[in-house]
Structure formats: C-alpha cells, structure tokens
Amino acid sequence: MPKKICQIICLFITLLLFHNMTCFALEKTTVSVVFSSDMEAYHQAWEGFNEFFKKNGVNLSVSTYNLANDDPETVILRIKKEKPPIVFALGTRALKLLKMRVGEIPIIVCMVINQDEINGANITGVTLSIPTMIKLQWINENLSQTKRIGLIYSIETAELVAKISQDCKKSGYEVVAQKINSGEEITWALQKIASRIDCFLMVPDARIYFPKSIEYLLMEGLKRKFAVIGLSSFYTKAGAFVSFDCDYQDIGRQTAAMAMKILNGQSPTDIPSESPRKTTFSLNLLVAEKIGIKIPPVVIKEAKEVFGR
Amino acid sequence: MRINITHKIIFLFILLISTLSIIIGFFSFNYGKQALMIEFDDRAKALVKSLALNCEYPVLFDNKDMLSSIGANVLSLKDVIFCEIRNEKGQVLFKKGIKNKPYNHEYTAVIQTEKVNDVEEGLVLGNGQIRKFEKIGRIQLILSLDNIRDRLLSIQRALILIISLGIIVASMAITLLLRFVLGNPIDKLVTDTRIVSMGNLDYKIVMNTKDEIGSLAIAFNEMLNALKITQNKLIKTEKMTAVVQIVSEAAHEIRNPLMVISSGIYLLKKVICEENPIVPKTIKQIEDAVSRMSLFIEDLLHFSRPIELKMDKVKINEVIKVAISELSEGLFFGVDMKQELADNIPEILADSNRLKQVVVNLVKNAVEAMKEVVGKKLEVRSEKEGNFIKISVSDTGKGIPAEEIASVFDPFHTTKKKGMGLGLSICNRFVEAHGGRIEVESEVGKGTRFVVWLAGETIKEEEK
C-alpha cells in the first residue's frame, strides 16, 4: 500500500514538474518581430498575434523592428545575435529580408499577398490572398448572370492568373484574360476585352495597377457596365462593385497558432501556409445601380461595409 | 525780365512738387509693374501645374484627342500663345501656337503619375505611404507679355496724366496761396516803402498779418520813427551850426567897434566938462546902450562857443533863490509869485552859474508871457522824483500854440517883439550839457509850464 502511495506521489510530482517545465519554457520565449512598414493593417495583425499568446498564458519577450525606420543590416545583425526561437515577419518586405539572411531560425509570416514567397524550409505563415473559390462562390450566388470573367495581368502575376483561370473553369466560368507589360497598356487591353466580359476580377499586380490605371478601370467598368471586383474595401469605396477583405487581427491570431506549433517543437516544413480563414466583403450600391445589378437586402446586410447608400 | 521773390518761391515749390511727383510716379509704376509680373508669373505657374495634372491621364494612356482638347482649351486662355506636350520618350503629343514671338515667358512642368511601390500588399491594404511618382512627360507653355505691356503702358499714361494734373493743380494752389500770403504783403510793403522814400516820413505801414512780414512792417515803422527823430536832430544841428557860425562872425565884427565906442565914452567922460547937464546924460545913455549890446554880444558868443561847465557841489534850492533875488523887483510887479522848494533835494554836481541863468531865463520868459493877461501867477517849484530833480516854472500866460511847442527851443524862435529868441535855446543847451532835459506843457489861454529834469542819483553816487 505505501509502495503504491509512493508511486502515485512520484507520478504526481513528475507530472507537475513536466507541466511546470513546459510552461516555464513558453514563458521564457523570445520572439523577434519585423514590420515591413507602419501600415495600420500590420499592427492589427500584430495585436491579434500577441492576443493569442496572452490568451494562452504566454507572455512573449519581444524584440520589435520596423523597416520603415530601422536599417535592414542592423536588424539582421541583432536577430542573429539574439537567436530567437522564432522570427515573426509582417509583410513581403520583411519576409524577403529575413528568408535570405537569418539562416535556420524559423520564420513565421503573415500579410503577404503572394503565396509563392512563403517557399523556404524554415518558413510558413498566412497569406493575404483570399481563395478564388470564395470569390467565385459569391459571384455565383449574387451575380448569377455572370458567365465570363475578365482578367488583366503582367508577367509578375502570370502564375496566379493561371491558378485563378483553373478555378474559374472549375466553377464553370469563361476567363477572358489579357496580358500586358505595364499599366499604361490597360486602356487598349480593356478596349479589347471589355465587350466580352460580365465582370472583372482584379489581381494584386503593382506593375499594372496604380492610381490612374485603377481610376481608368473603375471608370470603364461604370461606362461599359461590368462589375469590378476590387482588392479591398478601398476599391469599393473608390468605385468597384464588390471587394473581399480579410480580418487582419484574425490573420494575426491564425499566424500565432502556427507559431505556437513551431515553438512546441513542430518543424515549419510540416506546417503548410494558409489562406485567411475569415473573410468579409464590401459593396458599393451606387455602382451596382449604375451597372444595373440588383442586390438582395440579405446580401447587403451580410456586407461588412456598404458604400453609396 | 524781373523775377520777384514770390515767383522764385513758387518756382522752387513747383520744382519740388514735380520732382517728388516724378519720383513717386516712378516708384508706383515700378511697383505696379512688379505686382503685375508677379501676378502673371503666379497665374502662369498655376496654369502649367494644373495643366500637368490634367495631362497625366491622357499622356499616360496616350489619348491624343483628350490632349488636343486640353491644348486647345489652354491656347484659348488669355496670354497663352504656345503649348507643347511631350511624353517621357520625347515624342510630341500636342504642339500648337506661335513660339517665336517677342516679349514672352516660357513655363515648363513635369507630368508625372503616382505608382505603387514594389510591395504588393500596398495595393490591397490601400496604404498611401508607400508611393512613388514617375515622370511620364513634359509640358511647355509660352505666355505672351503683350497684355502686360499694354496694361503697363496704360498705367504709365494714367500716371503721367495724374502727375501732370497734380503738378498743375498744386502749382496753381501754391501760386494763389503764396500770392495771397507772401506776394500781396510784399507788394504792399514795396508800395509803402516807395511812399516813404518820396519823403513822407509820417507815413505808417499798416500790415494785418502777424507773421514775419507783419514784424518787418512794425520794424519798418520803428525805423521810420527813429529816422524822423534823427532827421529832426540833424536839421536842428545843421541849423545850429549855421547859426553859430553867423553869430560867431557877427559877434566878432560887432565887438571890436563896441570896444572902440566904450573906450571913446570913457575918454569923453574924463574930458568933457559937466557944464552942460545933457552931455553926461547922453553919454550915460550911450554907455548903457553899449553895455546892453556888449551883453548881447556876450550871449551870442556864449551860444556860439562850446559849453564849458564848471562843476561843483550845488544846492538847487539855493540856485533858484539867488537867481530870483538877482532879478529886479520891478519885474515881478503885479505878479503873484510863489516858491515851493522841497527840502529833500540833494546836492548835485553842476555849474551853478549856468543853472542860475537857466532859472533866470525861464522866470523872465514866464513874466514876459503874462504881460498882457490879468491874474498873473508865477510858481517856481523844486522836487525830487525818483532819481531825478525836477525844477518847474509855471505861469498863467497866454500859452504856446501846439504847433509851436516843438520849436520853442530852436534858436531865434521868438514870438516877442524884442529879443533874439536865444534864451530858451541857450537854456536847453545848458540843461542838456548837464545831462538833463527840458519839457514844455502849455495850453493856449491857460498858461505854460517848463520842467527841468536833472539827474540826481548819478551825481549822488559821484559825491560818495
């Protein structure tokens, strides 16, 4: 009997020690955070990331760097010196800097558009790219007359457009795509495809889209009555019919969950990159009216932001 | 041509006003020119900048129709004579207007467009910070300065007109003002001075202004008074000099024969017996006549000679008493004689004989003046008044007419049948030799009063 009691006590002590050790290890965790710039969205993501760890009883010891102010070389030198168990990159600029220079330190990343950037052995994270299928599903539900989807792209987004085209075809849409070299060519490209499309899907291509070309696209959309699907609510406000957005704070939480796994010993290679799990959409009712689209009130109610009421 | 002082002042004023007006006009014109040029420049810069912004879209998308429309609109604007729009490769997208026109200004601006940086999420996140501007073309505007030149010319003409009118009006106003304030009084002064220069020393210049010209008129009147007094003195002096010369020569001529007559009478008195009582009587009469003539001659000589005073301490009251006592009692027959001599008269340094003669002459004259009147009253007074001793001789005689008062002391001035008219003149000379003066107050029918003023204080000091 005493032997049993001793065994139980020993087991209890062992379990208690193990539990404490784990907690101790997490509490002592240091994370280096590198911001690409001072964009509000990055800070929202960082808030979500931090919130997740706090909620799980982990106080992070954080070294924060911002490439808007800090010298990239100094940032790299300090991270190498600190040797944190994980580096958190917010945005493409931070990711591009870190993935080449920090060696084997695991990198967890978010707020990056191009999924191809998250392509290293020690890198994983959450992209900004909302899956095309979500968009297509919404189009299917709310723009039932849409058959042909227009796309304009450059060589930078050729792969992305290829994937989108596949998704479109899978969903039964015809894709009318036009490749151009610069934003200045958007006029003739649109002239070429405008008459053949029902809606236009924008792709995040900085080579094509800049304020004037976006202005032109939105104006043409109104003129030629095709719905432009923008890249975020800013576009909806500017004149796109609909845009899909992410919850940046939730992206932070989503990324934090992945980071926790890495801190618990899982390899980044074993954790595939993810798309945002929570998406919203915004509508421009004035544009809808101009291009002759009727939107059911239920859909309007579902929208996170509604412009042109 | 004679240019008077008013004309000179007017000319100076006009010159000054013209110079000032020209300077002000010059600066106003330059200021206006500068303001117009600044306004022109600002307008042109704003125009070219606005044009560059408007051209962003058509240049970016090579929209020549839009560029033509913009260019045509710009060329229709005021002063714009040339417009050229090129893209970044240097290709001319729009060109119209006259480039080589004189008097123009060229303005250029870069046409640029905003591009998103290479960070793609900026496209999604809508961040305004990550921005860059890319040059996509260039715009050249040439604006003509013809309108500005025309406006400047009209401003110049207006300024010249305003300045000229201003100078004319100001000159007229100044001319009238100076004519009124300066010219007229000066002219009056000149006219009055001419009247005076014609010998009218009694003329008085009347000037109503209280300025320097008024003061000049007052000074001029004072000068006239002084001139008149001096002239009177001069006339007197000249008269006296002439008289003295005649008297001196006459006295000398008469005295020698009189000496001979006197010697003859003396001898005759010794030689001629006294048998015939008429002879000594006649001789006595001749002797008296000669004696009177000798005295008269002595008077004349006294008058002609410079006065030499024998100064000594003199009691004025004593002098008066002795003088009256020496006069014959018959002189005062029928005259109510009164002497009021003050006790406080100090001793003074004077020539007692001369003063005695003065008193005698004045008393004699007073008695003579009362010869034909009833109620003859003679009063001799002495008194001390301030620093002066005053001796007055008053009578109730026929009086002296006002117009004759000024000349009573002139030599040979007399209203009597007898006498040479030298008595008062000699008195005046003696008193003036003592540093004093004689005053006359007279009223016809009531009487005359002669007052001798002698300085008492000065003599007192000398006494000490």
Side-chain angles (χ1 to χ4, degrees):
Chain A
M1 184 69 182
K3 200 180 175 182
K4 263 191 175 180
I5 290 166
C6 279
Q7 278 177 343
I8 290 165
I9 290 166
C10 284
L11 185 66
F12 181 74
I13 289 166
T14 310
L15 281 170
L16 195 69
L17 278 171
F18 182 75
H19 175 76
N20 283 345
M21 275 174 74
T22 315
C23 289
F24 183 73
L26 282 173
E27 278 168 2
K28 286 286 179 184
T29 301
T30 305
V31 177
S32 293
V33 184
V34 185
F35 287 84
S36 291
S37 71
D38 266 332
M39 275 197 272
E40 177 57 29
Y42 293 148
H43 289 279
Q44 283 180 25
W46 167 239
E47 269 176 38
F49 188 89
N50 223 358
E51 185 193 304
F52 179 86
F53 277 96
K54 273 185 187 168
K55 216 172 182 178
N56 287 281
V58 182
N59 282 325
L60 291 176
S61 172
V62 182
S63 302
T64 309
Y65 304 99
N66 190 333
L67 296 182
N69 309 315
D70 298 325
D71 171 44
E73 289 305 316
T74 316
V75 172
I76 294 298
L77 281 173
R78 285 194 183 166
I79 290 171
K80 278 184 175 173
K81 199 178 174 185
E82 285 166 7
K83 287 183 182 164
I86 193 164
V87 184
F88 181 30
L90 289 128
T92 309
R93 198 174 166 205
L95 176 64
K96 277 180 178 171
L97 176 75
L98 293 170
K99 78 176 178 184
M100 304 296 292
R101 308 287 296 277
V102 294
E104 289 180 354
I105 301 172
I107 300 168
I108 188 92
V109 65
C110 71
M111 309 299 282
V112 174
I113 287 180
N114 192 353
Q115 194 154 2
D116 295 340
E117 293 285 349
I118 312 173
N119 59 357
N122 58 340
I123 305 168
T124 189
V126 182
T127 65
L128 267 177
S129 176
I130 297 166
T132 314
M133 289 310 286
I134 291 174
K135 295 178 184 177
L136 292 174
Q137 193 183 341
W138 193 92
I139 293 167
N140 187 36
E141 286 167 7
N142 298 292
L143 300 171
S144 51
Q145 295 198 342
T146 300
K147 303 285 177 215
R148 289 163 297 182
I149 295 173
L151 287 165
I152 293 178
Y153 65 100
S154 72
I155 193 158
E156 301 286 330
T157 47
E159 281 182 34
L160 177 66
V161 168
K163 282 176 194 169
I164 292 170
S165 297
Q166 279 177 8
D167 290 340
C168 286
K169 277 173 191 168
K170 275 180 199 168
S171 303
Y173 291 106
E174 185 189 335
V175 173
V176 182
Q178 181 63 50
K179 188 182 171 188
I180 56 174
N181 295 317
S182 69
E184 285 82 344
E185 294 172 13
I186 198 168
T187 48
W188 72 259
L190 268 177
Q191 297 284 338
K192 202 172 172 185
I193 66 166
S195 57
R196 294 187 283 142
I197 58 172
D198 301 314
C199 83
F200 184 91
L201 190 64
M202 285 179 76
V203 289
D205 193 332
R207 202 165 173 176
I208 300 170
Y209 296 116
F210 49 86
K212 277 289 162 193
S213 63
I214 294 165
E215 191 184 311
Y216 182 80
L217 169 68
L218 296 175
M219 291 295 288
E220 283 296 304
L222 286 172
K223 219 190 284 180
R224 294 177 181 264
K225 297 190 186 300
F226 59 80
V228 176
I229 298 162
L231 297 171
S232 70
S233 60
F234 298 108
Y235 294 81
T236 317
K237 195 177 178 182
F241 165 63
V242 66
S243 299
F244 295 89
D245 280 293
C246 316
D247 182 336
Y248 304 125
Q249 217 163 348
D250 191 65
I251 288 177
R253 286 191 287 269
Q254 194 177 347
T255 317
M258 293 166 92
M260 184 72 109
K261 286 179 190 170
I262 295 165
L263 288 171
N264 284 336
Q266 215 170 330
S267 167
T269 324
D270 300 336
I271 306 166
S273 60
E274 295 173 7
S275 293
R277 60 191 175 191
K278 198 174 174 183
T279 56
T280 57
F281 67 92
S282 55
L283 283 170
N284 192 322
L285 300 183
L286 201 65
V287 173
E289 193 187 323
K290 293 269 178 197
I291 59 176
I293 297 172
K294 284 184 180 171
I295 309 160
V298 188
V299 180
I300 296 171
K301 215 172 181 181
E302 276 177 14
K304 192 186 175 190
E305 282 178 282
V306 180
F307 302 98
R309 276 183 195 272
Chain B
M1 186 191 162
R2 195 169 64 91
I3 300 170
N4 62 30
I5 193 162
T6 315
H7 291 154
K8 283 177 187 170
I9 293 172
I10 289 168
F11 176 73
L12 271 175
F13 264 104
I14 292 170
L15 194 71
L16 189 72
I17 288 169
S18 307
T19 313
L20 275 175
S21 303
I22 289 164
I23 289 168
I24 290 167
F26 177 75
F27 279 105
S28 303
F29 178 74
N30 271 348
Y31 181 79
K33 186 180 171 183
Q34 212 176 353
L36 276 176
M37 284 310 294
I38 288 169
E39 188 198 331
F40 177 86
D41 198 53
D42 287 350
R43 188 167 65 87
K45 279 177 182 166
L47 179 68
V48 77
K49 203 172 171 183
S50 151
L51 194 62
L53 284 172
N54 286 330
C55 288
E56 180 188 351
Y57 189 87
V59 169
L60 192 66
F61 302 121
D62 198 23
N63 190 333
K64 284 183 180 156
D65 291 342
M66 204 169 168
L67 282 173
S68 298
S69 168
I70 291 171
N73 277 335
V74 167
L75 282 167
S76 70
L77 292 173
K78 190 180 163 190
D79 300 330
V80 183
I81 54 167
F82 178 78
C83 175
E84 185 185 87
I85 302 164
R86 287 171 183 266
N87 65 15
E88 187 51 20
K89 291 169 191 164
Q91 292 167 329
V92 177
L93 304 175
F94 177 84
K95 187 178 179 181
K96 209 169 181 182
I98 310 152
K99 198 175 181 181
N100 302 318
K101 212 179 163 187
Y103 308 117
N104 59 46
H105 266 205
E106 186 185 315
Y107 294 89
T108 56
V110 171
I111 305 166
Q112 52 185 9
T113 192
E114 190 184 345
K115 290 272 173 94
V116 177
N117 249 332
D118 56 354
V119 181
E120 291 88 347
E121 56 261 29
L123 265 179
V124 175
L125 303 174
N127 178 45
Q129 289 177 344
I130 307 169
R131 282 178 166 189
K132 63 175 181 181
F133 285 92
E134 200 176 286
K135 190 177 164 186
I136 56 168
R138 190 171 188 81
I139 187 158
Q140 183 193 21
L141 275 188
I142 294 177
L143 276 82
S144 166
L145 289 168
D146 286 349
N147 278 327
I148 296 277
R149 275 166 58 84
D150 289 348
R151 279 181 73 184
L152 283 172
L153 272 172
S154 55
I155 289 171
Q156 201 174 27
R157 281 193 208 112
L159 270 174
I160 289 169
L161 189 71
I162 290 165
I163 288 169
S164 308
L165 279 174
I167 290 170
I168 291 165
V169 171
S171 306
M172 282 168 73
I174 284 164
T175 307
L176 287 173
L177 190 74
L178 284 177
R179 192 73 220 150
F180 179 73
V181 171
L182 203 63
N184 290 349
I186 287 176
D187 285 350
K188 190 177 181 310
L189 205 61
V190 169
T191 313
D192 290 353
T193 312
R194 281 192 182 134
I195 292 168
V196 172
S197 71
M198 286 162 81
N200 188 358
L201 290 180
D202 292 326
Y203 188 81
K204 292 281 173 210
I205 297 169
V206 179
M207 203 66 75
N208 294 324
T209 54
K210 288 182 178 175
D211 52 14
E212 285 83 351
I213 295 173
S215 303
L216 183 66
I218 291 165
F220 198 81
N221 284 335
E222 286 170 1
M223 189 190 77
L224 272 180
N225 284 337
L227 196 64
K228 202 177 163 187
I229 291 164
T230 311
Q231 195 190 38
N232 285 340
K233 278 185 179 173
L234 198 64
I235 290 166
K236 261 185 192 175
T237 311
E238 278 177 359
K239 210 170 166 182
M240 286 288 281
T241 310
V243 167
V244 163
Q245 202 173 350
I246 294 163
V247 165
S248 177
E249 282 175 13
H252 277 292
E253 288 302 318
I254 294 165
R255 197 167 63 166
N256 291 338
L258 277 177
M259 288 291 286
V260 175
I261 293 167
S262 290
S263 304
I265 289 165
Y266 179 76
L267 283 172
L268 279 173
K269 275 167 79 178
K270 293 280 181 192
V271 173
I272 292 171
C273 63
E274 294 178 356
E275 289 172 358
N276 191 347
I278 300 166
V279 173
K281 193 184 173 184
T282 308
I283 289 170
K284 176 69 176 152
Q285 282 174 340
I286 295 166
E287 196 178 30
D288 286 347
V290 168
S291 176
R292 278 204 309 277
M293 278 186 75
S294 296
L295 278 171
F296 175 67
I297 295 302
E298 278 304 312
D299 275 355
L300 284 178
L301 285 171
H302 275 305
F303 186 77
S304 64
R305 281 189 207 119
I307 295 163
E308 285 175 15
L309 297 175
K310 289 175 184 170
M311 303 297 268
D312 202 356
K313 284 181 182 177
V314 170
K315 288 179 179 172
I316 292 295
N317 287 348
E318 286 301 316
V319 169
I320 295 168
K321 283 174 190 171
V322 169
I324 291 170
S325 68
E326 280 181 4
L327 288 164
S328 68
E329 284 185 10
L331 187 72
F332 300 108
F333 181 76
V335 176
D336 181 8
M337 172 75 174
K338 195 178 172 185
Q339 281 187 58
E340 275 188 25
L341 305 176
D343 297 332
N344 62 343
I345 308 289
E347 281 187 337
I348 60 167
L349 276 173
D351 186 330
S352 61
N353 284 327
R354 300 293 187 192
L355 288 183
K356 206 189 297 170
Q357 202 172 343
V358 169
V359 175
V360 166
N361 276 344
L362 291 178
V363 171
K364 270 184 172 179
N365 272 355
V367 172
E368 186 73 25
M370 293 187 292
K371 213 172 191 178
E372 291 169 1
V373 295
V374 182
K376 298 168 185 170
K377 283 182 183 173
L378 176 70
E379 189 182 60
V380 180
R381 291 169 68 97
S382 71
E383 57 191 301
K384 187 171 183 283
E385 201 169 298
N387 293 327
F388 293 93
I389 295 164
K390 196 175 154 188
I391 304 164
S392 60
V393 178
S394 313
D395 64 62
T396 54
K398 57 184 177 183
I400 307 164
E403 64 271 15
E404 286 183 20
I405 283 180
S407 49
V408 289
F409 296 109
D410 290 351
F412 306 110
H413 175 83
T414 181
T415 54
K416 293 180 278 185
K417 288 175 185 171
K418 286 183 182 176
M420 294 290 289
L422 285 171
L424 282 176
S425 183
I426 290 165
C427 287
N428 192 33
R429 289 190 74 206
F430 286 169
V431 172
E432 279 183 353
H434 278 88
R437 69 174 193 275
I438 303 182
E439 286 175 357
V440 192
E441 297 161 9
S442 183
E443 201 175 332
V444 175
K446 283 191 176 176
T448 306
R449 184 175 177 234
F450 283 88
V451 182
V452 176
W453 292 89
L454 291 169
E457 196 65 27
T458 319
I459 295 164
K460 250 181 143 181
E461 281 172 9
E462 281 175 26
E463 262 184 325
K464 288 170 191 174

